[in-house]
């Protein structure tokens, strides 16, 4: 059974930091990229950051260097370090794992940034 277990979300004041984690288990296919997306109320889901198996990263333009994505291939875990958080970062953050056959989504973790 495939599981993507996300953790690290919560409530933080503007300017604060959070670190999200997503541990994937039960996936039998080769994992290529791992990433994070987010969806704010009334908005479409959007890419935040993605990292390939080889460590190449891609970030959404709006981040302006505030977030850092990393991964531990041995643990099939991806992380998102979020610094200088802003109220507009408030959203549900979803982990995404892309394999050679299909992709998988986590259940989402709420991040709320208060002003």
């Amino acid at each position: 059974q495939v599981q993507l277990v996300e953790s690290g979300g919560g409530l933080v004041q503007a300017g604060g930091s959070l670190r999200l984690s997503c541990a994937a288990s039960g996936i039998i296919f080769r994992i290529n990229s791992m990433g994070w997306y987010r969806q704010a109320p009334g908005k479409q889901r959007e890419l935040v950051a993605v990292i390939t198996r080889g460590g190449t990263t891609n970030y959404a333009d709006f981040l302006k260097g505030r977030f850092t994505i990393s991964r531990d291939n041995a643990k099939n875990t991806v992380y998102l370090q979020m610094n200088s958080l802003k109220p507009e970062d408030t959203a549900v953050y979803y982990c995404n794992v892309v394999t050679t056959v299909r992709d998988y989504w986590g259940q989402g973790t709420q991040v709320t940034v208060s002003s």
Side-chain angles (χ1 to χ4, degrees), residues 22-38:
C22 172
S25 63
I27 297 178
I28 63 173
F29 308 117
R30 176 185 173 88
I31 293 176
N32 291 331
S33 64
M34 304 180 79
W36 292 94
Y37 290 71
R38 71 185 188 184

Side-chain angles (χ1 to χ4, degrees), residues 29-106:
F29 308 117
R30 176 185 173 88
I31 293 176
N32 291 331
S33 64
M34 304 180 79
W36 292 94
Y37 290 71
R38 71 185 188 184
Q39 187 167 17
K43 295 187 177 182
Q44 290 187 332
R45 190 174 297 189
E46 60 183 357
L47 172 70
V48 175
V50 64
I51 183 167
T52 68
R53 188 174 188 85
T56 301
T57 58
N58 184 39
Y59 295 93
D61 290 340
F62 58 75
L63 291 179
K64 299 186 185 299
R66 297 183 295 119
F67 294 4
T68 302
I69 190 170
S70 60
R71 67 187 279 181
D72 185 331
N73 288 335
K75 297 180 179 180
N76 283 343
T77 300
V78 62
Y79 308 95
L80 185 68
Q81 178 66 44
M82 305 186 294
N83 299 326
S84 303
L85 283 162
K86 304 175 181 181
E88 50 265 43
D89 293 319
T90 295
V92 177
Y93 284 70
Y94 295 92
C95 173
N96 175 251
V97 173
V98 179
T99 75
T100 53
V101 176
R102 56 162 291 180
D103 64 338
Y104 299 89
W105 290 91

